[in-house]
Amino acid sequence: MNKYCGAALNQIRIAVDSIKEMMMSLREEDLTFRPTLTKFSIGELLEHLSLICEADLLIASGISKEELESFYVEHKLSSLSKMEAAIDHSFLLLKSTYEGFSDEQLFEQIKSYWGTVYTRYEWLLEILAHIYHHRGQLHAMLVHMYRKEPPIALFE
């Protein structure tokens, strides 16, 4: 595997592990808590986080908007245990896919359904940024709005 992809995937794994630790500090009834009326609830945010690696991998493969919408409809997650299983599956799928790319394939440009063009490697960096962004939102929701202090390290 390309050493830069390996490093990026390691950072995604760190984020996934810390998200799972935050999940363990929650109860099923916490999933409905919505700190801001027009934004994600904790459960909706966790559902999104659980699917980011797989959904963004699909985007990085050139999937259409309609296909992505179908993916989300087919992957509704209603419990912490389903979310934990989904985030593990999603990450492993991302990792196994990127482990199989040659350097030439990593630098092939892929266009998203909204017109952004990145190399496969750049899409991996985008996935890394995306998951860390939402992990930060989750942590802020838990600490500042829900008064929970998850006992986790956000960085190694």
Side-chain angles (χ1 to χ4, degrees), residues 21-60:
E21 286 185 59
M22 282 188 256
M23 284 181 187
M24 291 188 311
S25 73
L26 297 171
R27 301 164 302 177
E28 295 295 329
E29 54 267 25
D30 295 328
L31 299 179
T32 60
F33 181 69
R34 184 181 308 275
T36 305
L37 200 54
T38 59
K39 300 293 182 186
F40 280 154
S41 68
I42 289 174
E44 290 164 342
L45 182 57
L46 281 171
E47 181 179 38
H48 183 64
L49 275 162
S50 298
L51 297 171
I52 282 176
C53 291
E54 186 171 359
D56 284 5
L57 178 59
L58 292 170
I59 292 168

Side-chain angles (χ1 to χ4, degrees), residues 117-135:
V117 178
Y118 288 147
T119 65
R120 281 193 177 98
Y121 179 69
E122 288 174 304
W123 280 115
L124 181 61
L125 297 178
E126 184 67 24
I127 294 166
L128 171 65
H130 191 186
I131 201 161
Y132 269 83
H133 163 72
H134 286 304
R135 185 191 70 160

Side-chain angles (χ1 to χ4, degrees), residues 61-102:
S61 301
I63 194 172
S64 71
K65 181 179 181 181
E66 295 75 26
E67 291 169 314
L68 185 63
E69 288 170 352
S70 292
F71 169 81
Y72 279 115
V73 167
E74 293 169 12
H75 292 84
K76 291 291 180 192
L77 306 172
S78 56
S79 69
L80 288 165
S81 63
K82 287 180 182 177
M83 292 173 195
E84 185 175 353
I87 200 169
D88 285 337
H89 168 78
S90 185
F91 173 70
L92 290 174
L93 180 62
L94 177 70
K95 184 175 186 258
S96 66
T97 300
Y98 269 83
E99 285 175 338
F101 288 140
S102 67

